[in-house]
Amino acid sequence: RSILYANIKRINANSCILQKISCTFVFQKTAKRMKDFAAIDFETANGKRTSVCSVGVVIVREGKITNKIYRLIRPRPNYYTQWTTAVHGLTYDDTMEADEFPEVWAEIKPLIDGLPLVAHNSPFDEGCLRAVHELYDMTYPDYKFYCTCRTSRKVFGKELPNHQLHTVAARCGYDLTNHHHALADAEACAQIALLIIPEPKKPKVDLHTGSLF
């Protein structure tokens, strides 16, 4: 039985490697890939976008993961629904003594300064980030978001049965084993982005006027 289990693990690992090679080959034909960014994922306690209860951030520089941050957050409003707990496993007791968003973001903000943000289904995470900034009367720095879900639809199209995070991660050769943990999801997002999100175009500068266009 142990030999059979070892062989299954080896086959799964080889499959992930082949998927990653295939994914890289598909995208190399189209464009250079993004190499400096921060992947981010929020989990919420209830249906309110302000109720962020955990955040995962994975910082990528020069195509390499350089830092990972995971923090619990005391949500507002401070209650959990049965459905959200079923999704991510967090409860009121887990975040009862956690810092509120402003304290957590004060730690994260300088680490991501100047970097574009990447998320899977970015309208959700961007919406959460904007909502908590507004809730706490914080100035929103107008972060630039990129979406691995939207990009997956362009790159893989109908090749995939859906474009959920775990499906796209598997197609890109990454084994997402702890889905809906904010840091695990952020790292999966980062690995996908490294393979399929194109390098943002740099604005051109008019040499005569110095203005951007």
Side-chain angles (χ1 to χ4, degrees):
R1 182 180 294 179
S2 61
I3 295 175
L4 176 61
Y5 180 69
N7 286 336
I8 291 173
K9 286 187 68 177
R10 189 176 300 111
I11 291 170
N12 288 339
N14 289 338
S15 176
C16 284
I17 292 171
L18 289 173
Q19 289 279 23
K20 189 169 186 177
I21 292 172
S22 171
C23 185
T24 304
F25 177 74
V26 166
F27 198 72
Q28 275 181 341
K29 296 188 295 183
T30 59
K32 293 182 179 180
R33 288 159 289 163
M34 181 183 283
K35 60 182 181 179
D36 296 290
F37 61 89
I40 189 167
D41 182 82
F42 286 109
E43 300 296 330
T44 55
N46 52 69
K48 302 292 185 181
R49 292 288 177 95
T50 59
S51 70
V52 292
C53 58
S54 68
V55 60
V57 178
V58 174
I59 297 173
V60 177
R61 295 187 184 275
E62 294 297 322
K64 304 291 183 182
I65 292 175
T66 60
N67 200 0
K68 301 178 186 180
I69 306 107
Y70 175 72
R71 294 291 181 270
L72 294 175
I73 302 169
R74 188 160 70 252
R76 285 181 59 183
N78 192 5
Y79 70 90
Y80 285 77
T81 66
Q82 183 178 359
W83 183 83
T84 54
T85 293
V87 170
H88 51 57
L90 295 174
T91 67
Y92 177 89
D93 290 341
D94 292 316
T95 56
M96 182 171 54
E97 298 183 1
D99 289 330
E100 291 197 348
F101 178 79
E103 288 72 38
V104 173
W105 200 248
E107 178 187 356
I108 294 173
K109 182 179 177 181
L111 301 177
I112 64 172
D113 186 46
L115 293 174
L117 301 184
V118 178
H120 198 78
N121 188 25
S122 63
F124 172 79
D125 298 279
E126 183 176 7
C128 288
L129 192 55
R130 287 183 178 275
V132 284
H133 272 77
E134 182 177 353
L135 174 68
Y136 289 101
D137 198 25
M138 299 164 60
T139 301
Y140 188 76
D142 200 26
Y143 295 108
K144 174 65 176 177
F145 268 83
Y146 293 84
C147 183
T148 48
C149 182
R150 188 180 300 117
T151 305
S152 174
R153 294 181 189 279
K154 293 179 181 178
V155 174
F156 300 122
K158 295 182 179 179
E159 175 189 338
L160 299 180
N162 59 66
H163 295 273
Q164 297 174 21
L165 181 59
H166 63 280
T167 303
V168 182
R171 175 62 182 85
C172 291
Y174 183 78
D175 183 18
L176 176 55
T177 56
N178 197 11
H179 192 15
H180 294 301
H181 182 285
L183 184 58
D185 284 3
E187 185 162 5
C189 180
Q191 296 290 350
I192 294 168
L194 283 168
L195 291 175
I196 71 171
I197 290 194
E199 182 74 16
K201 294 180 179 179
K202 295 181 180 180
K204 297 179 180 179
V205 179
D206 189 320
L207 297 179
H208 299 289
T209 64
S211 60
L212 300 177
F213 64 94

